[in-house]
């Protein structure tokens, strides 16, 4: 069996959809078992919400985050059960960093479900409902976007939140400020502006109060030494020190996600293929815009799982 130098990556908010993982659940009982464990922590039926919706309820941050975490962990467990190769390096986009840390053995799954549900609640409470939004700016240099955000809005209104790819930057802030910046970006040459399926402006200064409260909860949770290297969002760093990992999760709430740099770092580590573990294919699609000779596969249903296992099965690395 040919050995591949690959990494696993885990998606964040925006990848959720009602009915996700349905065909995997029809083939693998562990999917509903994982969601049942999450439901025990949350106090409501998470699988029913994922299976039936409504979309508006699933898109509420404190519902979205545990739903996506449980989805990624379920797929990862199926992967392990079927002798899928394990990577030496992982990364997760925003919320996906928690998924990566569970898979790397840093966090207990139930602890992580508790944390991301709390994280989502704190994020919702930090900004009045309906006032904060995020938007992806496509096809415009981040320096131009930064200047627009600075010039068009009062300080503290809109921020650069995600550096997803050289041609995609996400801005976050108050709704009116993000809309003004979006219009200005189109006028400056952006190809498109897409409003994200999120209910809070993540990864900016508006989340600092939420981060302080999350920090208190994180201090009560056991963090283990990672089994695999995990690149964090904040400074594109790999650390095996639990306290540094804990601190990075606090900073992540109000700091930009440096995803493009994270993928480039994986490339320098010899990674040639990414496996996206979770609903959707956002990260797989971004890959070709970041490192042109890196390929990616999104594992989100029975067909894609079978395809990936055919190429990445064997003795664990």
């Amino acid at each position: 069996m040919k050995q591949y130098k690959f990494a696993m990556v885990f998606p964040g908010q925006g990848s959720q959809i009602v009915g996700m993982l349905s065909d995997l659940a029809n083939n693998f009982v562990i999917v509903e078992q994982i969601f049942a464990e999450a439901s025990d922590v949350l106090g409501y039926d998470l699988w029913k919400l994922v299976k039936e919706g409504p979309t508006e309820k699933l898109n509420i941050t404190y519902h979205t985050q545990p739903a996506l975490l449980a989805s990624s962990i379920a797929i990862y467990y199926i992967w392990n059960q079927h002798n899928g190769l394990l990577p030496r390096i992982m990364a997760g986009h925003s919320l996906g960093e928690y998924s990566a840390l569970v898979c790397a053995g840093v966090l207990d799954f139930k602890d992580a479900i508790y944390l991301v549900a709390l994280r989502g609640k704190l994020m919702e409470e930090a900004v009045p409902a309906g006032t904060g939004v995020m938007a992806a700016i496509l096809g415009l240099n981040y320096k131009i976007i930064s200047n627009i955000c600075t010039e068009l809005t009062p300080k503290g209104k809109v921020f650069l939140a995600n550096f997803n790819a050289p041609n995609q930057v996400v801005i976050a802030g108050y709704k009116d400020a993000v809309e003004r910046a979006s219009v200005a970006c189109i006028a400056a040459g952006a190809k498109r502006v897409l409003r994200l399926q999120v209910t809070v402006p993540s990864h900016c200064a508006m989340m600092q109060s939420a981060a302080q409260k999350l920090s208190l909860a994180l201090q009560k949770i056991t963090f283990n030494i990672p089994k695999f290297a995990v690149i964090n969002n904040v400074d594109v760093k790999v650390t095996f020190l639990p306290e540094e990992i804990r601190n990075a999760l606090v900073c992540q709430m109000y700091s930009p996600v440096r995803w493009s740099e994270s993928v480039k770092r994986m490339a320098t580590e010899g990674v040639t293929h990414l496996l996206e573990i979770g609903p959707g294919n956002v990260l797989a699609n971004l890959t070709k815009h970041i490192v042109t000779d890196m390929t990616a596969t999104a594992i989100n249903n029975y067909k894609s799982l079978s395809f990936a296992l055919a190429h990445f099965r064997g003795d664990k690395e």
Side-chain angles (χ1 to χ4, degrees):
M1 168 63 69
K2 181 179 179 181
Q3 297 298 305
Y4 291 82
K5 294 181 179 179
F6 71 101
M8 282 185 174
V9 295
F10 301 84
Q13 282 184 254
S15 292
Q16 72 276 5
I17 185 172
V18 172
M20 59 190 183
L21 270 66
S22 57
D23 69 334
L24 287 174
N26 290 336
N27 287 278
F28 306 103
V29 296
I30 195 171
V31 174
E32 293 195 40
Q33 291 173 350
I34 291 295
F35 274 85
E37 288 186 29
S39 297
D40 287 343
V41 176
L42 298 169
Y44 64 87
D45 191 337
L46 182 62
W47 180 245
K48 182 179 180 181
L49 174 59
V50 166
K51 187 168 60 173
E52 301 176 7
T55 297
E56 294 77 14
K57 188 174 181 180
L58 180 61
N59 284 348
I60 297 172
T61 300
Y62 54 79
H63 291 151
T64 307
Q65 296 198 18
L68 286 173
L69 174 64
S71 296
S72 288
I73 299 309
I75 295 171
Y76 183 75
Y77 279 22
I78 295 168
W79 182 263
N80 279 345
Q81 286 182 341
H82 290 78
N83 203 29
L85 288 172
L86 297 182
R88 293 195 176 97
I89 193 164
M90 295 177 167
H93 189 287
S94 185
L95 164 78
E97 191 166 328
Y98 286 81
S99 302
L101 291 173
V102 172
C103 294
V106 177
L107 288 172
D108 173 77
F109 172 64
K110 288 189 174 183
D111 284 344
I113 287 290
Y114 161 75
L115 285 172
V116 300
L118 175 63
R119 179 179 184 263
K121 182 180 179 182
L122 294 174
M123 291 166 72
E124 291 277 0
E125 293 174 347
V127 179
T131 62
V133 298
M134 302 181 76
I137 313 297
L138 309 184
L140 191 63
N141 184 275
Y142 79 92
K143 292 182 179 179
I144 297 175
I145 300 171
S146 180
N147 289 336
I148 288 172
C149 291
T150 300
E151 294 171 4
L152 289 186
T153 62
K155 185 176 181 181
K157 291 288 187 179
V158 63
F159 308 84
L160 301 183
N162 298 350
F163 296 95
N164 285 340
N167 65 343
Q168 184 188 127
V169 173
V170 173
I171 59 176
Y174 287 104
K175 183 178 179 181
D176 59 340
V178 171
E179 289 176 348
R180 290 199 304 272
S182 298
V183 170
C185 286
I186 290 292
K191 294 179 180 178
R192 289 181 74 190
V193 175
L194 300 175
R195 179 74 64 85
L196 301 189
Q197 295 184 60
V198 297
T199 55
V200 294
S202 306
H203 304 295
C204 69
M206 295 166 70
M207 290 293 112
Q208 286 184 329
S209 63
Q212 292 173 356
K213 295 174 182 177
L214 182 68
S215 177
L216 298 177
L218 286 168
Q219 291 299 326
K220 300 175 183 179
I221 300 296
T222 299
F223 278 63
N224 302 309
I225 296 172
K227 299 175 183 176
F228 315 112
V230 178
I231 301 174
N232 74 42
N233 288 182
V234 173
D235 54 16
V236 198
K237 180 180 178 181
V238 171
T239 178
F240 289 87
L241 300 177
E243 191 60 28
E244 289 187 1
I245 297 171
R246 182 184 284 111
N247 292 338
L249 290 179
V250 176
C251 296
Q252 188 219 63
M253 289 192 73
Y254 57 83
S255 303
V257 173
R258 294 164 61 181
W259 187 252
S260 184
E261 293 174 77
S262 297
V263 175
K264 289 178 180 177
R265 165 145 191 190
M266 289 183 232
T268 65
E269 300 284 348
V271 172
T272 58
H273 193 92
L274 298 185
L275 295 180
E276 181 176 0
I277 309 297
N281 56 6
V282 171
L283 302 182
N285 287 340
L286 286 174
T287 302
K288 59 181 175 287
H289 299 291
I290 302 171
V291 180
T292 56
D293 58 352
M294 184 182 286
T295 56
T297 301
I299 302 176
N300 50 37
N301 55 34
Y302 187 81
K303 181 179 179 180
S304 57
L305 174 71
S306 299
F307 172 83
L309 282 171
H311 292 82
F312 296 92
R313 178 187 276 144
D315 294 332
K316 303 295 187 287
E317 279 194 298

